[in-house]
């Protein structure tokens, strides 16, 4: 600026490198789903990947990733599912008179099998209370299975997932859900959706129904990558 911009010599040739973006672009797809959910009344949450080991089922405890030097007894393991950290957020809001909640979170779970550590990316959705705020022109309606199912399926459609190629199966004796369905592509699990068991709700002091959907994000991305249409 002191010498003058016009006095800066310009090179005769300019070189530039081409940027490479992965296909499909995971970050772009995550933003697309987040924008859709936020535009329809959902709020994004960010939970701690460290959680309380007492939450886990006995069958899962042997595969937990435990902290060697935990900061506290409440944060002594890496979470093995997205439900319990989500229920903490649900309980926190309900205790503060926010009973109509529609939440989602992109997060990871962690498991240890033999000497290997497994890190899995999830899209988790939670819905409880009424479907919408009280309005004089419309009656309030409790959230239900079909309410959450519609948002999950529309989220997958926005990614380009062909729902017609998925198989739906009823959930039987599931550790987290008392009732629900699972989506699979062949032998690969894509998503599970259902009503959270009352035993889990009581643990967090939640006295109203909570519907939860758990999408295996990387598996959903692979369906998009394999979709040639």
């Amino acid at each position: 600026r002191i010498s003058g911009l016009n006095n800066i010599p310009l090179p005769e040739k300019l070189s530039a490198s081409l940027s490479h973006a992965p296909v499909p672009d995971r970050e772009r797809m995550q933003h697309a789903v987040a924008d859709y959910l936020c535009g329809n009344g959902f709020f994004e949450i960010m939970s701690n990947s460290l959680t309380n080991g007492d939450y886990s089922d006995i069958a899962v405890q042997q595969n937990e990733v435990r902290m060697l030097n935990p900061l506290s007894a409440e944060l002594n393991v890496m979470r093995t599912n997205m439900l319990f950290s989500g229920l903490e957020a649900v309980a926190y809001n309900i205790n503060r008179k926010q009973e109509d909640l529609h939440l989602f979170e992109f997060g990871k779970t962690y498991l240890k099998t033999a000497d290997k550590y497994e890190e899995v990316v999830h899209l988790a959705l939670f819905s409880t209370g009424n479907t919408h705020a009280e309005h004089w022109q419309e009656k309030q309606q409790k959230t239900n299975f079909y309410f959450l199912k519609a948002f999950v399926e529309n989220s997958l459609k926005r990614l380009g997932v062909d729902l017609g190629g998925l198989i739906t199966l009823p959930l039987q004796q599931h550790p987290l859900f008392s009732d629900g369905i699972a989506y699979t592509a062949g032998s690969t699990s894509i998503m599970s959706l259902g009503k959270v068991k009352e035993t889990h709700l009581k643990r967090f002091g939640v006295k109203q129904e909570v519907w939860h959907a758990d999408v295996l994000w990387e598996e959903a991305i692979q369906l998009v990558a394999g979709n040639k249409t």
Side-chain angles (χ1 to χ4, degrees), residues 34-213:
D35 290 343
Y36 164 71
L37 293 173
C38 289
N40 285 274
F42 279 75
F43 290 88
E44 186 172 9
I45 61 175
M46 297 179 67
S47 303
N48 197 336
S49 294
L50 290 171
T51 188
N52 193 333
D54 293 338
Y55 293 161
S56 302
D57 187 85
I58 296 177
V60 182
Q61 288 180 356
Q62 60 183 353
N63 296 325
E64 287 180 337
V65 180
R66 290 191 165 268
M67 300 293 100
L68 296 177
N69 187 23
L71 297 175
S72 67
E74 289 76 24
L75 300 172
N76 60 345
V77 300
M78 304 294 287
R79 64 183 172 190
T80 58
N81 62 65
M82 300 294 292
L83 175 62
F84 299 138
S85 56
L87 286 180
E88 287 180 343
V90 170
Y92 181 90
N93 282 274
I94 290 178
N95 290 337
R96 286 154 182 81
K97 306 302 180 182
Q98 300 295 325
E99 299 178 352
D100 303 331
L101 301 169
H102 311 296
L103 311 173
F104 74 95
E105 178 180 10
F106 288 96
K108 297 179 180 179
T109 59
Y110 308 85
L111 285 174
K112 180 183 178 182
T113 55
D115 294 331
K116 294 183 179 180
Y117 292 93
E118 182 180 1
E119 186 178 83
V120 182
V121 183
H122 299 255
L123 166 61
L125 294 91
F126 304 87
S127 184
T128 184
N130 294 311
T131 58
H132 57 271
E134 187 175 1
H135 194 274
W136 67 274
Q137 286 185 322
E138 192 173 358
K139 293 182 179 179
Q140 285 189 333
Q141 182 180 355
K142 292 292 184 182
T143 185
N144 53 38
F145 169 82
Y146 298 101
F147 175 83
L148 188 58
K149 177 175 179 286
F151 283 107
V152 177
E153 290 188 348
N154 287 336
S155 296
L156 294 176
K157 288 179 181 178
R158 289 182 73 87
L159 296 179
V161 175
D162 180 15
L163 296 180
L166 300 182
I167 301 173
T168 57
L169 300 170
L171 292 175
Q172 296 179 349
Q173 297 181 344
H174 196 276
L176 303 180
F177 302 113
S178 60
D179 186 22
I181 59 173
Y183 289 66
T184 62
S187 59
T188 304
S189 178
I190 304 298
M191 182 190 72
S192 55
L193 186 157
K195 183 167 68 171
V196 179
K197 286 185 174 180
E198 290 188 8
T199 53
H200 299 315
L201 299 180
K202 289 180 180 178
R203 180 178 294 176
F204 294 89
V206 177
K207 298 179 181 180
Q208 57 192 58
E209 290 184 350
V210 177
W211 298 88
H212 170 50

